[in-house]
């Protein structure tokens, strides 16, 4: 059976649903179908730490996250979601344990000022005053922005899902896109549900899995999958205000609104899409966290969990058209929660404009051919 629709979006994570909502808002009467092979929040969004920061070192990321955080602040109103998304804006404190990191923070700070990001450089003493749980040993200082924070990824996705449905976006779960076939000036999306959907525009929001579908239409982009793990503790009274990032320890640690502490600590593992957690992760991650935040020692861990992130050669998102007319892509490179509001807008415009907006153009897939990579110095 072949069905026709104006736009097919593959993937109902935050990218897919944000793009669907923005596209529906901007194009009244348009028909949009979103396909997801799994169930609600089954991708990276259901396995992430849902933190957001404007404190980046690259203007592109600063702009993307500034716009997104402004949207998160009013998500209840924008998306008609009165319950809210459990936004906790208690800031991000980035820690410097060496001169190079501190110098980078100072360079970033100048860029932040230019873009109206209210970051400040703190001395080691000021960091410890703000977070008494910190180990002051070898700490040189930090960078803080009170607008950064975290939220609930499930509430965020639920808000997007309901808002998109209100615009009559058709969301088909348990429906896998198997391949994409050019068909005149349309693209045919072949699914595992004995259904083929023909659309003028198809947008892939399948994150690390994007190459699987791209290959079916002869495209090869350097997007790979990397396992990532985290640990979560029991809920605890408010003890940790800002999200803590330590480049020395390669982690982000935060306390979410309902009291649990989340730690996403990088561990060397081969690339791949294995969502299992490794047997040595708990002891490895706990050591890293307690070395930096010894004041958390009494809190009991509930469990560890695993997820998969998308990787690109410069660890930046891939946003925009592909070489195949009508086929678009939005892949997050490990910032897909915090950038999803702005990416939805960018992609809704990219799909209907003659050219991509200059702010978004550097994220285009063509950079892998031209070599114009856009590496970000503040990646953990
Ligand atoms: C441990 C961990 C911590 C993280 N912490 C943060 C953080 O603090 N902040 C942040 O911004 N990001 C974080 N991330 C990254 C973030 O989760 C991702 O960037 C984000 O989920 C990407 O959103 P997405 O919509 O592109 O993809 P996803 O959320 O992965 O959704 C993609 C969807 O596509 C579907 N799909 C795939 N292939 C097909 C197909 N062929 N047909 C139909 N459907 C398909 C999947 O089922 C899935 O539902 C973290 C990730 C992990 C694993």
């Amino acid at each position: 059976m072949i069905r026709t629709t104006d736009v097919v979006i593959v993937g109902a994570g935050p990218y897919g649903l944000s793009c669907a909502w923005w596209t529906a808002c901007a194009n009244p009467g348009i028909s949009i179908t979103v396909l997801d092979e799994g169930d609600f929040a089954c991708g990276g969004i259901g396995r992430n730490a849902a933190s957001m920061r404007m404190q980046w070192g690259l203007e592109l990321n600063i702009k993307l996250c500034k716009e997104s955080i402004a949207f998160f602040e009013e998500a209840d109103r924008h998306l008609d979601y009165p319950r809210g998304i459990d936004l906790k804006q208690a800031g991000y404190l980035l820690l410097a344990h060496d001169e190079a990191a501190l110098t980078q923070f100072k360079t970033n700070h100048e860029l932040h000022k230019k873009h109206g990001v209210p970051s400040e450089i703190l001395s080691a003493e000021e960091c410890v005053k703000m977070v008494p749980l910190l180990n002051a040993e070898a700490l040189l200082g930090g960078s803080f922005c009170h607008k950064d924070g975290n939220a609930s990824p499930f509430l965020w996705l639920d808000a997007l899902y309901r808002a998109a449905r209100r615009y009559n976006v058709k969301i088909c779960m348990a429906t896998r896109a198997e391949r994409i076939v050019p068909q005149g000036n349309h693209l045919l999306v072949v699914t595992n549900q004995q259904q083929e959907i023909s659309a003028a525009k198809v947008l892939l929001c399948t994150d690390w899995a994007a190459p699987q579908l791209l290959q079916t239409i002869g495209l090869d982009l350097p997007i790979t999958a990397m396992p990532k793990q985290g640990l979560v503790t029991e809920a605890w009274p408010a003890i940790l205000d800002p999200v803590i990032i330590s480049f020395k320890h390669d982690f982000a640690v935060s306390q979410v609104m309902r009291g649990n502490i989340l730690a996403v600590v990088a561990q060397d593992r081969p690339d791949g899409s294995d969502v299992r957690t490794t047997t040595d992760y708990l002891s490895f991650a706990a050591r890293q966290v307690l070395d930096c935040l010894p004041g958390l020692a009494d809190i009991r861990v509930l469990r560890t969990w695993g997820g998969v992130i998308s990787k690109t050669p410069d660890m930046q998102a891939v946003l925009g058209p592909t070489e195949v007319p009508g086929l678009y892509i939005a892949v997050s490179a490990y910032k897909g929660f915090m950038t999803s509001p702005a990416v939805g807008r960018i992609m809704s415009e990219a799909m209907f404009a003659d050219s991509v907006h200059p702010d978004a153009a550097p994220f285009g897939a063509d950079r892998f051919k031209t070599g114009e990579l856009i590496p970000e110095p503040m990646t953990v």
Side-chain angles (χ1 to χ4, degrees):
M1 191 172 78
I2 299 187
R3 210 159 52 73
T4 301
T5 184
D6 294 318
V7 177
V8 170
I9 297 176
V10 187
Y15 268 21
L17 292 182
S18 178
C19 292
W21 179 77
W22 276 98
T23 305
C25 289
N27 302 278
I30 198 173
S31 57
I32 303 172
T33 299
V34 180
L35 309 175
D36 198 293
E37 66 179 345
D39 206 340
F40 178 80
C42 66
I45 191 64
R47 297 169 175 272
N48 83 0
S51 48
M52 53 181 93
R53 62 169 151 134
M54 301 183 210
Q55 291 182 86
W56 294 100
L58 198 69
E59 279 186 296
L60 289 167
N61 286 331
I62 295 170
K63 284 192 204 164
L64 216 52
C65 290
K66 189 173 174 223
E67 175 182 341
S68 293
I69 289 178
F71 191 100
F72 283 126
E73 285 170 350
E74 299 209 50
D76 50 349
R77 189 173 63 78
H78 290 308
L79 301 178
D80 192 10
Y81 196 71
R83 191 238 172 269
I85 59 166
D86 279 5
L87 177 65
K88 180 186 163 197
Q89 258 177 317
Y92 245 74
L93 177 61
L94 314 183
L95 301 175
H97 290 91
D98 58 48
E99 283 298 341
L102 201 54
T103 306
Q104 182 67 55
F105 290 177
K106 288 176 182 163
T107 308
N108 300 344
H109 182 61
E110 293 310 312
L111 266 184
H112 295 166
K113 279 199 284 195
K114 182 174 153 202
H115 289 282
V117 171
S119 72
E120 46 190 313
I121 300 295
L122 303 184
S123 65
E125 295 71 35
E126 288 170 321
C127 292
V128 176
K129 194 166 165 216
M130 180 178 282
V131 182
L133 309 165
L134 275 176
N135 178 1
E137 203 184 306
L139 185 61
L140 298 186
S143 173
F144 178 73
C145 171
H146 69 271
K147 288 274 197 177
D148 298 341
N150 55 36
S152 160
F154 299 103
L155 293 174
W156 170 239
L157 198 67
D158 188 47
L160 287 171
Y161 185 95
R162 288 167 192 263
R165 288 284 298 270
R166 245 178 264 124
Y167 274 95
N168 293 323
V169 171
K170 192 172 159 62
I171 304 173
C172 310
M173 304 309 272
T175 306
R176 178 176 166 77
E178 301 275 9
R179 63 197 150 88
I180 300 169
V181 185
Q183 190 198 45
N185 58 358
H186 273 54
L187 293 167
L188 197 64
V189 180
V190 180
T191 76
N192 64 347
Q193 296 296 328
Q194 292 171 348
Q195 194 182 57
E196 298 179 353
I197 308 175
S198 172
K201 296 177 195 300
V202 174
L203 168 59
L204 300 188
C205 293
T206 53
D207 209 40
W208 57 268
Q212 296 169 7
L213 278 173
L214 290 172
Q215 278 155 17
T216 67
I217 199 161
L219 293 180
D220 186 21
L221 289 179
I223 296 162
T224 49
M226 181 167 124
K228 230 0 173 206
Q229 301 176 77
L231 68 79
V232 56
T233 72
E234 62 189 333
W236 199 259
I239 186 175
L240 186 62
D241 268 349
V243 179
I244 306 290
I245 288 214
S246 166
F247 291 92
K248 176 184 167 197
H249 301 90
D250 228 348
F251 72 45
V253 178
S254 56
Q255 184 169 28
V256 295
M257 204 180 237
R258 60 182 187 278
N260 311 75
I261 290 176
L262 309 184
V264 176
V265 187
Q267 187 185 33
D268 270 348
R269 282 180 73 187
D271 282 0
S273 54
D274 188 353
V275 293
R276 286 171 305 180
T277 170
T278 48
T279 47
D280 61 344
Y281 185 70
L282 176 55
S283 54
F284 165 78
R287 265 199 309 276
Q288 294 287 88
V289 173
L290 294 181
D291 184 54
C292 183
L293 291 154
L296 295 179
D298 288 340
I299 306 180
R300 288 173 296 189
V301 172
L302 288 180
R303 64 186 174 88
T304 59
W305 84 89
V308 178
I309 64 165
S310 51
K311 243 175 74 174
T312 60
D314 51 9
M315 275 313 276
Q316 295 297 340
V318 187
L319 308 174
T322 68
E323 286 168 34
V324 174
L327 183 63
Y328 299 80
I329 185 168
V331 166
S332 73
Y334 194 29
K335 300 175 202 66
F337 170 74
M338 70 178 89
T339 56
S340 51
V343 165
R345 177 192 59 77
I346 287 168
M347 293 309 300
S348 71
E349 289 169 9
M351 284 194 287
F352 291 90
D354 291 338
S355 60
V356 181
H357 190 280
D359 278 357
F363 288 111
D366 49 351
R367 74 180 188 273
F368 303 122
K369 276 200 174 144
T370 61
E372 290 169 90
L373 300 186
I374 42 173
E376 160 65 61
M378 301 301 291
T379 303
V380 269

